[in-house]
């Protein structure tokens, strides 16, 4: 029995009994709807021990459950052992999501009280999903917002982080971006827009910070009216002259305290306000309602505008990927030579070495997420967390998977390479080839303008499907410009998302396969959507690979590749060599020349 976590859940139940709550919902997010929260808001991890990025918890008098998706099933199974917390699986056909589960669990109750940390749950979930499902099932209910409710039992809870602010060039000034948003407001007769999403705020202001690990954001709110911009940010404990100068030079933005957002909104009177219900937290949304502020909830226009990169950003992303490719090739060379010399290396040692190579690069700000460095059964976990101590040792056999990325002043990278460390089994070789085949088929796609990612997802899966294999995660996600490694609104996955893939969008291409207890394979590049011409049938689009790092061809089953796939792979590897060789030490450049030699289709 894991007494630490089970005792925390019992302490929460004691609060529930005292307050008269029938259920408590704890989410894995923060007041801004962030995918990756700061330490202060890792409430699910503190309560249950589950460290995955996507997980929500429900605690009732007789049940504690964690809801997470296919990426984390194996991980959650390990981490929840002995906690008394039951795994509830999402993104599967038989899924029963939290609102549905609550409706079923309390179907015989006269009435229920559901408590939520109103700061760490978005308004859309409460209004549209939770309230909607309970009301539809005729369950009388009261949803109580209890900000920071775990603070009563979470001693020494981390505070709100504060890190220095720094500016970046994006090819478009802050004034131009705010003017665009004001034009959008005027066309729809809004007086102001409230932005809660941290990446949208960073994009508008052309400012970055490090308040959240791996994410260059400042925890804040931004209110843009027709006359002024108010930035609610907490920076009173930052002692950095450069940061202070950036803030003092912001003549077009008025700085406000982070906790002044409700007071300031109240001072505006009966304005017509727009906010995004998917990122505004429930506590703030309830304030807007009780204060009588006429609020229209909808989808923020900033997400789509930010996703379509301008020419400056595109060129920056190209530079970032060339830089990143230099680090990756140095790392893969080091890894191969280390295996050949019987050097003792753990998964953690490899992750640290890759970080050192990235740290040598100009404009490097840090990693864009925690490096996944895995061999064997660890690689079978799509979001494996490499242990710092007692990490598994790499052996000169089988496959090694490394998923990593960097934040640069000129862009953000995300790359996965799976490489052989030595002799591989026939199953490893076949899976390796089929996943790469799917990656190539998506990368080669030509599709009509207006096509959403869900319509082309099958291109990456078909080679696996034909062999009755599949993977549970999405195939592609958007990537920001010196912003989040995950962004929308576009994606490439089986879920129905009507957002078209547009020219200028940058999206990942990362099919995989995971065999529990054995190994995993994933191949990932970032792709830029570009035009592919027009004719009598309409406008056409295609992808340009941005990632610059070779795919290892030494174990490929070439008989499984078509002539077109072989041609694409040879051309890609040749481009990688021609681009990176002049930037690499001579011995690594020669090694890369051999690694990228053309292969022949074997039919």
């Amino acid at each position: 029995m894991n007494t630490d976590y089970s005792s925390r859940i019992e302490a929460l139940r004691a609060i529930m009994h005292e307050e008269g709550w029938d259920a408590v919902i704890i989410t894995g997010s923060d007041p801004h709807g962030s995918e990756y929260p700061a330490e202060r808001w890792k409430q699910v991890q503190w309560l249950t021990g589950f460290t995955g990025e996507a997980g929500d918890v429900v605690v009732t008098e007789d049940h504690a459950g964690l809801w997470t998706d296919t990426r984390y099933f194996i991980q959650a199974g390990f981490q929840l052992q002995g906690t008394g917390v039951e795994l509830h699986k999402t993104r599967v056909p038989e899924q029963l999501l939290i609102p549905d589960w609550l409706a079923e669990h309390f179907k015989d109750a006269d009435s229920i009280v559901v408590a939520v940390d109103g700061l760490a749950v978005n308004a859309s979930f409460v209004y549209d999903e939770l309230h909607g499902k309970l009301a539809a099932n005729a369950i009388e209910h009261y949803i109580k917002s209890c900000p920071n409710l775990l603070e009563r039992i979470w001693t020494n809870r981390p505070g709100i982080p504060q890190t220095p602010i720094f500016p970046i060039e994006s090819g478009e000034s802050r004034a131009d971006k705010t003017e665009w948003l004001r034009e959008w407001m005027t066309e729809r007769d809004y007086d102001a827009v409230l932005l809660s999403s941290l990446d949208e705020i960073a994009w508008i202001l052309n400012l970055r910070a490090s308040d959240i690990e791996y994410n260059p954001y400042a925890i804040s709110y931004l209110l843009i009216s027709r006359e002024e911009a108010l930035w609610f940010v907490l920076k009173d404990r930052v002692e950095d002259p450069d940061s202070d100068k950036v803030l003092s030079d912001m003549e077009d933005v008025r700085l406000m305290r982070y906790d002044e957002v409700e007071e300031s909104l109240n001072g505006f009177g009966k304005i017509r306000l727009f906010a995004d219900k998917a990122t505004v937290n429930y506590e703030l949304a309830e304030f807007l309602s009780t204060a009588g502020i006429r609020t229209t909830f909808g989808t923020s226009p900033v997400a789509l505008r930010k996703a379509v990169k301008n020419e400056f950003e595109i060129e920056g992303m190209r530079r970032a990927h060339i830089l990143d490719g230099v680090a990756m090739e140095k790392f893969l060379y080091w890894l191969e030579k280390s295996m050949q010399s019987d050097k003792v290396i753990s998964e953690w040692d490899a992750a640290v070495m890759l970080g050192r190579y990235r740290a040598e690069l100009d404009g490097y700000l840090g990693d864009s997420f925690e490096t996944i460095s895995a061999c064997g059964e660890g690689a079978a976990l799509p979001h494996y967390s490499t242990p710092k101590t007692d990490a598994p040792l790499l052996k000169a056999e089988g496959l090694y998977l490394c998923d990593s990325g960097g934040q640069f002043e000129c862009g953000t990278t995300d790359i996965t390479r799976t490489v052989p460390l030595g002799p591989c089994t026939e199953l490893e070789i076949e899976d390796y080839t089929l996943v790469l085949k799917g990656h190539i088929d998506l990368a080669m796609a030509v599709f009509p303008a207006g096509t959403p990612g869900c319509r082309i997802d099958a291109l990456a899966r078909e080679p696996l499907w034909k062999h009755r294999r599949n993977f549970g995660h999405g195939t592609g996600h958007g990537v920001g410009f010196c912003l989040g490694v995950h962004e929308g609104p576009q994606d490439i996955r089986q879920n129905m998302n009507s957002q078209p893939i547009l020219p200028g969008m940058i999206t990942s291409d990362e099919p995989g396969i995971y065999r529990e207890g054995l190994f995993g394979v994933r191949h990932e590049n970032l792709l830029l959507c570009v035009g592919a011409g027009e004719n009598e049938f309409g406008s056409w689009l295609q992808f340009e690979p941005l990632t610059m790092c070779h795919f290892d061809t030494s174990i490929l089953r070439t008989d499984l590749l078509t002539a077109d796939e072989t041609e694409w792979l040879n051309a890609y590897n040749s481009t990688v060599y021609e681009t990176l060789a002049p930037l690499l030490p001579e011995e690594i450049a020669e090694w890369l020349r051999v690694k990228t030699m053309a292969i022949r289709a074997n039919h």
Side-chain angles (χ1 to χ4, degrees), residues 329 332 336 399 417-422 424 428-430 432-433 436-437 440 523 549-561 565-574 576 591-602:
E329 296 296 3
L332 293 174
E336 182 175 297
L399 296 171
R417 286 296 182 267
T418 304
V419 296
L421 297 181
C424 295
E428 288 174 315
I429 291 170
E430 188 171 82
Y432 180 96
T433 304
L436 185 54
K437 183 181 175 77
I440 294 170
H523 299 301
C549 179
H550 79 282
F551 287 110
D552 194 301
T553 60
S554 63
I555 62 167
L556 277 177
R557 279 266 312 270
T558 54
D559 60 301
L560 294 176
L561 298 180
E565 290 163 348
T566 304
E567 181 181 357
W568 184 96
L569 180 57
N570 286 335
Y572 174 78
N573 274 349
S574 176
V576 169
W591 169 85
L592 183 60
R593 183 190 67 80
V594 175
K595 285 290 182 181
T596 56
M597 290 177 67
I599 61 170
R600 289 177 137 187
N602 181 19

Side-chain angles (χ1 to χ4, degrees), residues 373-425:
S373 172
C375 60
E377 62 183 34
L381 303 175
H383 279 237
Y384 176 69
S385 182
T386 305
K388 295 182 180 181
T389 58
D390 299 323
L393 299 180
L394 303 186
K395 300 177 182 179
E397 62 183 28
L399 296 171
Y400 167 77
L401 184 154
C402 186
D403 187 350
S404 67
Q407 293 285 8
F408 298 88
E409 293 174 0
C410 60
T412 302
T413 68
D414 182 4
I415 175 175
T416 308
R417 286 296 182 267
T418 304
V419 296
L421 297 181
C424 295
T425 66

Side-chain angles (χ1 to χ4, degrees), residues 248-267:
S248 64
D249 287 347
M250 294 177 64
E251 297 179 357
D252 55 335
V253 177
R254 184 147 60 101
L255 293 179
M256 310 290 288
R257 291 202 321 270
Y258 180 68
D259 58 3
E260 286 183 326
V261 62
E262 291 185 0
E263 178 183 338
S264 295
L265 283 166
N266 209 25

Side-chain angles (χ1 to χ4, degrees), residues 417 439 507-509 523-527 545 547 551 568 572:
R417 286 296 182 267
H439 173 96
T507 312
S508 68
D509 173 3
H523 299 301
E524 178 187 16
N525 278 357
L526 298 191
L527 307 177
T547 306
F551 287 110
W568 184 96
Y572 174 78

Side-chain angles (χ1 to χ4, degrees), residues 160-296:
I160 299 174
Q162 300 184 42
T163 59
I165 300 290
F166 60 95
I168 68 155
E169 294 291 333
S170 71
E172 189 175 4
S173 70
R174 178 166 63 236
D176 288 342
K177 290 177 179 180
T178 52
E179 181 59 29
W180 159 77
L181 188 56
R182 286 188 174 116
E183 290 175 1
W184 182 90
M185 290 160 43
T186 301
E187 290 171 1
R188 292 155 181 80
D189 202 26
Y190 299 129
D191 298 307
V193 170
L194 175 64
L195 296 179
S196 295
S197 181
L198 302 182
D199 63 335
E200 295 184 8
I201 295 170
W203 179 85
I204 283 275
L205 296 178
N206 284 337
L207 296 175
R208 304 292 189 263
S210 304
D211 287 2
I212 300 178
E213 191 174 20
Y214 308 118
N215 294 265
Y217 307 148
I219 293 173
S220 58
Y221 299 94
L222 181 64
L223 181 69
I224 298 181
S225 71
R226 297 188 185 187
E227 294 80 27
E228 61 180 342
L230 278 63
W231 191 24
F232 302 88
V233 63
L234 192 66
K235 292 298 167 194
D236 57 293
R237 294 199 308 269
V238 174
E239 296 181 0
D240 185 283
D242 293 335
S243 178
D244 292 342
K245 187 174 188 312
V246 171
L247 295 175
S248 64
D249 287 347
M250 294 177 64
E251 297 179 357
D252 55 335
V253 177
R254 184 147 60 101
L255 293 179
M256 310 290 288
R257 291 202 321 270
Y258 180 68
D259 58 3
E260 286 183 326
V261 62
E262 291 185 0
E263 178 183 338
S264 295
L265 283 166
N266 209 25
F268 273 87
K270 296 187 179 300
I271 61 170
R272 295 179 298 276
L273 179 71
F274 176 88
D276 192 327
K277 194 161 44 174
T279 56
V280 167
N281 62 66
Y282 178 55
E283 178 74 10
L284 185 51
E286 283 289 275
F287 164 78
L288 294 173
S289 176
T290 57
I293 297 173
R294 292 176 293 173
T295 306
T296 298

Side-chain angles (χ1 to χ4, degrees), residues 142-157:
Y142 175 61
I143 300 171
K144 183 172 179 58
S145 176
C146 304
N148 302 312
L149 67 89
L150 284 186
E151 211 153 85
R152 292 163 67 172
I153 55 176
W154 186 354
T155 56
N156 300 318
R157 182 184 180 187

